[in-house]
Amino acid sequence: MAALNKHVFTIRYQEGTTTPLGTDAWVDGVSIPAIQESTYASGLAGLAASTPESYYNNTWIGAGHGTTGSNLFKGTLYDIIWYDALLTDDEVQNTHDYLMNKHEMKNFDVYHGFTPTAPLPIVDERLRWWMDASDASTYELDTNGQVTSWTSKDYANEVGTGTIGGAAVTPTDDKGFLFADGYFQGYNCPFFKDSNFTCFLVFKYDDYSGSLFGQTASSQTYGAYAIGRMSDNNVFNWDNWRTGPAT
């Protein structure tokens, strides 16, 4: 995945699985293999059944595995959409259609041969978290036009409101948020605990480092986790949800 290109990345994880057989992944609507590279897997989702829900009550957007410079997301984030269920292939495709159309990603036609017209993603009780940078009702700005807080859309707002930390986060002309060493902290996401889920991310990287969202491990018994960590310029990593003592 090239820097400066916008992408839709999708992960569908089956509860209780710890191998790539339980994970489906897509980039821009095209199925890709899930890969297990190490104990802390890249490209493989896996949540720990032994981890209490409270562990996920300080999720950050724009950081994961700590808040040092190497762990902060650098790029533009547009959408995070999280369902606590295994969406069907048709539902996954419909949501891809919506996102590709919303973000004017013209390469969609190369893969599917038509222009998507889906008006909305699936909005029902399975939708638990939707961060939408194009929705001005979900964020607040300071007098300099920088984002100071960001919350989930109204029908999926149980996670609370994240507040700014680090450097500024700036709205972009194409309705995203530009992260350059900034992050939002304080989201409560108990639905991260071991369960089926389907997650859609829309983003583009300016630098191959950092994580789209996750949590620090400095005071956590169960370690850290990070989603969308980019380890090199060829592979987008979905890091394993780490468990065990923090290191």
Side-chain angles (χ1 to χ4, degrees):
M1 300 171 67
L4 303 181
N5 288 339
K6 191 184 300 183
H7 294 281
V8 179
F9 185 89
T10 306
I11 195 84
R12 183 174 62 188
Y13 167 74
Q14 183 175 344
E15 177 181 0
T17 57
T18 57
T19 72
L21 294 177
T23 302
D24 299 307
W26 294 261
V27 174
D28 300 340
V30 178
S31 178
I32 60 172
I35 302 169
Q36 186 171 16
E37 295 182 353
S38 62
T39 301
Y40 294 150
S42 299
L44 173 65
L47 293 81
S50 61
T51 305
E53 290 183 357
S54 60
Y55 170 62
Y56 302 112
N57 284 351
N58 188 23
T59 295
W60 296 24
I61 296 176
H65 295 311
T67 58
T68 64
S70 62
N71 293 315
L72 297 177
F73 170 62
K74 296 177 177 64
T76 305
L77 180 59
Y78 301 88
D79 281 281
I80 300 173
I81 304 178
W82 185 285
Y83 298 90
D84 63 350
L86 299 175
L87 298 192
T88 67
D89 287 351
D90 285 345
E91 289 173 327
V92 168
Q93 189 60 67
N94 287 340
T95 307
H96 286 151
D97 290 357
Y98 163 78
L99 291 170
M100 300 292 275
N101 190 41
K102 173 182 177 180
H103 296 290
E104 299 181 338
M105 299 172 68
K106 302 302 184 184
N107 61 335
F108 187 93
D109 291 6
V110 174
Y111 299 121
H112 299 282
F114 66 95
T115 301
T117 57
L120 282 172
I122 295 94
V123 179
D124 59 24
E125 69 280 358
R126 297 171 297 173
L127 177 60
R128 303 297 295 276
W129 194 24
W130 185 359
M131 307 304 297
D132 181 0
S134 72
D135 184 348
S137 70
T138 65
Y139 60 86
E140 295 183 353
L141 302 175
D142 63 17
T143 56
N144 296 316
Q146 306 296 330
V147 186
T148 58
S149 65
W150 192 18
T151 192
S152 183
K153 293 174 81 71
D154 285 344
Y155 35 78
N157 65 357
E158 65 189 273
V159 300
T161 298
T163 55
I164 194 68
V169 172
T170 308
T172 63
D173 291 339
D174 61 345
K175 298 182 178 180
F177 287 162
L178 177 63
F179 288 73
D181 296 335
Y183 51 88
F184 297 98
Q185 56 190 336
Y187 297 100
N188 298 323
C189 302
F191 46 86
F192 283 176
K193 186 173 171 61
D194 192 25
S195 63
N196 296 324
F197 69 79
T198 309
C199 180
F200 300 83
L201 308 168
V202 184
F203 63 92
K204 61 181 178 182
Y205 276 99
D206 291 341
D207 181 34
Y208 295 111
S209 64
S211 305
L212 294 177
F213 62 94
Q215 186 183 53
T216 64
S218 58
S219 61
Q220 297 292 338
T221 302
Y222 295 91
Y225 61 90
I227 303 305
R229 192 179 182 197
M230 200 75 160
S231 63
D232 57 51
N233 59 5
N234 293 313
V235 179
F236 177 85
N237 289 337
W238 181 286
D239 270 17
N240 197 34
W241 301 65
R242 302 188 177 194
T243 59
T247 57

